[in-house]
Amino acid sequence: MITHRVFVAGPVSWNRLVEVDRLPEPRPQTVFATRHWTAVGGTSAGKALNLASLGVDVVLRTVVGDDEPGRAVLAVLEDAGVEVIAEVVDQPTEQHLNLMDPRGGRVSVYLELPELREPRHDERALAALAAADVAVVDLAEHARPLLAAVRRAGVPLWTDLHGYDGAQEFHRDFLAAADHVFLNNDGFADHDALPAFLGTTGKPTVATLGPDGAVALVDGEVHRVPAVPVTEIVDTNGAGDAFFSGYLVAHLGGADTPTALAAGAEQAARTLGSPGLAPGM
């Protein structure tokens, strides 16, 4: 059995998750939670945990603070079998407050966000990158310098632009450097405009559409996949990262685009039906 090795760089966080019957309207009011808890978060943590659950050898390069939230994040990742290369900084670990409703709606409030002027990428990280089959570089300032390192190493680069609208300056370096691109439809108020945008990237591009599944443009062909039905949605956090991971693992195994899309949809459904960012957490 071939074991693939994936290098992931980007953010992790320790989050307070608050479930409400409906997301609050923009007016003063009192809102009662149906439940609340703390858990690991961050798009790179989500990808690393899903990849590990699928049997991939994962190295995650990230940033945490020397604090209890940082130690909690590292413990979850390491318990799941993720090798973590963490830059420990004298700032608080990234933290979010997520308000979530039962229909999948979410408002994420950043409580803490480390701001690094000169992120450090040591020899251990560069060696792990050079040994990888694929590098995933997620949206974060501390991950941005690794875009050039990935190109120098000659490793295929995948990125996730999340709610990119086709114009945001922050995302452009990641889009330009990537060999494969993912995003979701949050940045397009006119969702019919999204398939047309896919053709402007000049590289294989996949867009997740929430309950409508996903669409991909690869080698000039458009492919679609419906969402896999979920009997009971337990936690919507991490569904996009799960889809990305399922698709990537299928692709590494030689699957064609429709098969990889179906694998992504299956992994997203498993995550939606499980607590935490990945199945089995």
Side-chain angles (χ1 to χ4, degrees):
M1 179 179 176
I2 297 174
T3 300
H4 299 289
R5 186 171 179 85
V6 177
F7 177 88
V8 181
V12 300
S13 61
W14 189 249
N15 297 346
R16 168 68 66 177
L17 308 175
V18 180
E19 191 175 86
V20 294
D21 288 331
R22 61 183 60 82
L23 295 180
E25 299 174 3
R27 60 177 175 78
Q29 60 188 290
T30 298
V31 177
F32 290 91
T34 56
R35 63 183 180 124
H36 62 90
W37 65 101
T38 55
V40 67
T43 188
S44 296
K47 292 183 178 68
L49 289 166
N50 274 279
L51 289 167
S53 78
L54 290 166
V56 173
D57 185 359
V58 186
V59 178
L60 170 60
R61 195 277 170 195
T62 192
V63 171
V64 296
D66 184 13
D67 52 19
E68 285 304 317
R71 287 185 279 276
V73 169
L74 295 180
V76 172
L77 291 166
E78 290 165 356
D79 285 349
V82 176
E83 180 184 346
V84 183
I85 301 173
E87 180 175 354
V88 180
V89 298
D90 59 355
Q91 298 182 52
T93 297
E94 184 173 325
Q95 296 168 58
H96 308 165
L97 169 66
N98 288 353
L99 298 179
M100 305 179 300
D101 69 23
R103 294 160 294 281
R106 184 178 68 174
V107 174
S108 187
V109 180
Y110 278 69
L111 304 176
E112 301 285 357
L113 182 63
E115 296 181 7
L116 307 184
R117 294 186 181 277
E118 296 182 2
R120 185 168 43 82
H121 302 300
D122 58 23
E123 291 303 317
R124 182 182 169 201
L126 296 177
L129 167 61
D133 298 305
V134 165
V136 178
V137 183
D138 278 320
L139 298 174
E141 283 297 347
H142 57 78
R144 190 186 299 272
L146 278 164
L147 295 171
V150 175
R151 304 317 298 171
R152 288 194 297 271
V155 176
L157 195 162
W158 292 49
T159 197
D160 183 353
L161 303 180
H162 294 275
Y164 183 55
D165 64 2
Q168 293 152 289
E169 185 65 30
F170 181 87
H171 301 64
R172 288 182 180 174
D173 289 347
F174 297 85
L175 173 58
D179 297 299
H180 292 257
V181 175
F182 275 69
L183 72 159
N184 61 47
N185 61 357
D186 290 350
F188 290 81
D190 178 6
H191 290 176
D192 291 337
L194 181 58
F197 167 76
L198 302 185
T200 69
T201 68
K203 52 197 73 180
T205 304
V206 179
T208 55
L209 311 173
D212 295 324
V215 59
L217 181 61
V218 179
D219 296 331
E221 292 190 44
V222 175
H223 307 270
R224 295 181 182 272
V225 65
V228 173
V230 179
T231 303
E232 180 185 3
I233 295 177
V234 176
D235 187 349
T236 58
N237 288 284
D241 297 317
F243 189 103
F244 181 109
S245 302
Y247 184 105
L248 173 54
V249 171
H251 174 87
L252 287 171
D256 60 14
T257 300
T259 304
L261 285 170
E266 289 284 354
Q267 184 69 8
R270 285 191 287 269
T271 296
L272 286 167
S274 305
L277 295 181
M281 290 186 61

